[in-house]
Amino acid sequence: MQGTLDLLILKSLVAGERHGLGISRRIQQITGGTFLVEPGSLFPAVQRMEEESWVSSFWGESENNRRAKCYRLPKAGLKPLEAETKRWGRISWAIAQALETS
């Protein structure tokens, strides 16, 4: 999963703002259960991305009415999302080519 986390976090926020557990659940959902992101990986990545202005945060409520830090994808996050998407498109194409080669 190394190198995929930024893309998955950004992609999970395209549909709207989410708290940390919501991001983790969305990643699990959009990857068909292939990726399960633990808090120890998720929160350092989200903090780093917030420092880079790829995501922004605010205090909101979780689905069980508890205070939770929520994250959203600002306009500044669209450029890295596009760049990461293109990069992973090239990588996945190259791996597929390598797997098809005898």
Side-chain angles (χ1 to χ4, degrees), residues 4-78:
T4 62
L5 190 54
D6 288 0
L7 175 60
L8 293 173
I9 291 170
L10 293 170
K11 189 67 177 174
S12 74
L13 294 172
V14 167
E17 54 202 35
R18 301 177 190 283
H19 55 75
L21 181 58
I23 292 172
S24 181
R25 287 178 181 158
R26 182 65 179 151
I27 290 171
Q28 189 173 7
Q29 180 186 35
I30 64 178
T31 64
T34 299
F35 293 106
L36 175 62
V37 182
E38 299 291 336
S41 299
L42 178 70
F43 289 108
V46 172
Q47 285 179 328
R48 178 182 44 77
M49 294 169 75
E50 188 173 13
E51 289 171 6
E52 295 173 5
S53 300
W54 292 10
V55 300
S56 60
S57 67
F58 63 97
W59 287 101
E61 287 187 2
S62 66
E63 55 274 353
N64 52 0
N65 297 321
R66 292 191 178 169
R67 187 178 159 162
K69 193 167 187 182
C70 298
Y71 302 92
R72 66 172 59 108
L73 182 65
K75 287 185 180 184
L78 295 175

